[in-house]
Amino acid sequence: GPKAPYMLVMVGQEQAVAASLYPGHNFDYPNVLWPGRLSFEDLTMYVKAVDSLVFAHGDKHLTSAGPHLSQTYLKPQVCLFSEYNKEVLGDSAFYFQKGDDITGNLRNCLAGITAEMLKNSAKPLEKQREEYHWHSIGAKTKSFYEDLLYGK
């Protein structure tokens, strides 16, 4: 058959579980790998090996590991729009909306991204990584509370 342009690694639920959640869907694609839940070490190995990350969660959660994985390894990210993702990733990510057709929205977002765009997203990602490094956030948090408590 035709060679797929992407290899998709589905981290989290295994294929059998996903198939039981979505009856009638064919999860037997040659370009989709279902490793199941991963240890931190295995997840790190996959993140280092990929060209970009796709996260389709985060709309109901304060945070996810996705933005921080992108920052740590300078990997472009395609993610569901949320205020948190936008604040942490800024213009270095490619966003799609949940809406009624999340699959179609993700597909349209992916179709509009070129290899050049992915390559160019590393520079703003570096800037965001510096701004959201733990040392920077810690200093800002400490300063905020000192100002609040001591009126500095």
Side-chain angles (χ1 to χ4, degrees), residues 20-100:
S20 71
L21 294 173
Y22 301 98
H25 283 72
N26 177 12
F27 288 98
D28 188 24
Y29 294 102
N31 62 323
V32 178
L33 177 64
W34 295 81
R37 297 192 187 279
L38 297 175
S39 67
F40 179 75
E41 291 78 16
D42 287 343
L43 179 60
T44 300
M45 177 191 70
Y46 277 106
V47 170
K48 287 179 178 179
V50 301
D51 294 321
S52 62
L53 304 169
V54 177
F55 285 92
H57 65 282
D59 62 324
K60 292 188 171 101
H61 307 286
L62 174 62
T63 183
S64 76
H68 305 291
L69 285 170
S70 286
Q71 287 179 345
T72 300
Y73 297 102
L74 294 177
K75 298 292 181 168
Q77 184 170 143
V78 177
C79 59
L80 191 61
F81 178 85
S82 72
E83 293 299 327
Y84 175 78
N85 287 343
K86 184 67 175 172
E87 180 179 342
V88 175
L89 293 169
D91 294 331
S92 65
F94 304 92
Y95 302 98
F96 64 98
Q97 298 292 330
K98 184 174 182 179
D100 291 333

Side-chain angles (χ1 to χ4, degrees), residues 105-147:
N105 293 344
L106 174 57
R107 186 178 295 119
N108 291 337
C109 181
L110 291 172
I113 300 171
T114 65
E116 188 70 20
M117 291 166 71
L118 287 174
K119 183 179 143 194
N120 291 336
S121 70
K123 199 64 168 169
L125 192 53
E126 283 184 65
K127 181 180 178 288
Q128 290 297 105
R129 179 170 73 173
E130 289 172 20
E131 189 172 332
Y132 280 88
H133 189 278
W134 284 114
H135 296 293
S136 174
I137 294 297
K140 288 177 185 175
T141 302
K142 180 180 180 235
S143 175
F144 170 80
Y145 283 112
E146 285 176 343
D147 290 350

